[in-house]
Amino acid sequence: FIVKTLLEMGVSVESDLTVNIKNNTLIDEVISFLSFIDSPDDDLSFAGFLSGKIFQKKTGFNRNAIINWITQQRIDTQSGYLYPAFKRDFPDIWEQYFDYFFKNSGYLPIYDFVVLFLKKWAVLNNFIEDSAYFLHMCELIKTQETVQQNNLTSFLEFWNNDQEKEEPFQLKSTAGANAIKVMTIHKAKGLQFPVAILPFLKLNTFGSSDSKD
């Protein structure tokens, strides 16, 4: 709640929530795209990408319009999988932004594949403030290539594995960054911040709850 509120106010925040690239909504959109390419019958991932900011920013599609289109396809039980319907209704967009990735999945190293995606969709240009997340994801993919996870399927299995430690997904923060750091009291112990704020603390000087606070 605290992190969400501060972010909505435009305040820079550093926390476990913000430094884990898995929690970035744009990274989630990239994963949705990759999941769809890996499994074209994954309508949920394809719909997730179409309704996201990356697709809308590049194509100029209105979010409500694409959601209405997706809904209509689900109502039409004869439409089958979502992507053939999209290819039929929006052939130019499919040809320009999807077809190459659809046809070349498995032929390129995943690092090259993702870098081409970021370039084709102008992700780094359109979302400059989130560039650190995308670059960290690329570094992570490059690292995984060295342990024989050089294809889309194995990388997605690694990404979705809840047993994986969080450390590889943690964004490297810059020491002294001008941001409010939100953490537990346990993690803050010994860091000697000049100012510390304890939210939701309603205690009087005697340690009992005071309903007037």
Side-chain angles (χ1 to χ4, degrees):
F1 174 79
I2 296 173
V3 173
K4 182 176 182 293
T5 301
L6 290 173
L7 290 174
E8 288 176 348
M9 294 171 59
V11 178
S12 297
V13 181
E14 181 180 311
S15 71
D16 288 344
L17 178 64
T18 59
V19 300
N20 189 321
I21 64 172
K22 281 188 173 185
N23 295 322
N24 182 277
T25 56
L26 294 172
I27 291 293
D28 193 48
E29 291 177 25
V30 176
I31 293 298
S32 291
F33 180 89
L34 297 179
S35 297
F36 159 66
I37 293 296
D38 188 53
S39 300
D41 60 348
D42 186 351
D43 285 350
L44 184 60
S45 291
F46 189 46
F49 179 75
L50 294 180
S51 59
K53 293 180 180 179
I54 294 175
F55 175 81
Q56 294 158 36
K57 185 73 172 180
K58 186 62 177 176
T59 64
F61 250 92
N62 177 273
R63 187 173 189 270
N64 290 333
I66 197 64
I67 289 178
N68 289 338
W69 179 85
I70 293 171
T71 302
Q72 187 59 45
Q73 303 314 305
R74 296 303 90 206
I75 294 174
D76 181 7
T77 57
Q78 302 300 318
S79 62
Y81 293 130
L82 197 57
Y83 86 87
F86 184 89
K87 186 177 180 181
R88 177 198 66 216
D89 292 348
F90 309 103
D92 292 340
I93 294 179
W94 176 269
E95 178 67 27
Q96 187 172 2
Y97 297 113
F98 290 94
D99 193 60
Y100 177 85
F101 299 101
F102 195 79
K103 291 179 178 178
N104 287 276
S105 175
Y107 293 99
L108 291 174
I110 184 175
Y111 178 83
D112 296 340
F113 193 85
V114 171
V115 168
L116 284 173
F117 166 83
L118 296 176
K119 182 177 180 180
K120 186 70 174 179
W121 287 88
V123 174
L124 294 178
N125 290 332
N126 289 336
F127 304 97
I128 298 175
E129 65 278 7
D130 291 282
S131 59
Y133 293 90
F134 300 117
L135 295 176
H136 186 85
M137 182 182 187
C138 289
E139 291 178 7
L140 182 59
I141 291 171
K142 199 67 175 177
T143 300
Q144 291 306 117
E145 284 187 344
T146 63
V147 292
Q148 306 303 315
Q149 290 187 335
N150 197 25
N151 61 77
L152 196 50
T153 301
S154 60
F155 175 74
L156 290 172
E157 289 176 351
F158 161 76
W159 184 274
N160 294 318
N161 186 355
D162 293 335
Q163 302 304 316
E164 287 290 343
K165 296 180 179 179
E166 289 191 4
E167 185 177 354
F169 306 101
Q170 297 292 326
L171 191 66
K172 299 171 183 175
S173 59
T174 303
N178 186 23
I180 294 177
K181 294 175 174 56
V182 180
M183 61 184 67
T184 63
I185 294 177
H186 176 73
K187 289 187 177 181
K189 185 178 180 181
L191 296 181
Q192 298 182 345
F193 291 118
V195 176
I197 300 174
L198 278 66
F200 313 122
L201 188 61
K202 294 185 177 182
L203 297 176
N204 61 23
T205 54
F206 297 100
S208 61
S209 178
D210 186 350
S211 60
K212 295 181 181 180
D213 289 345

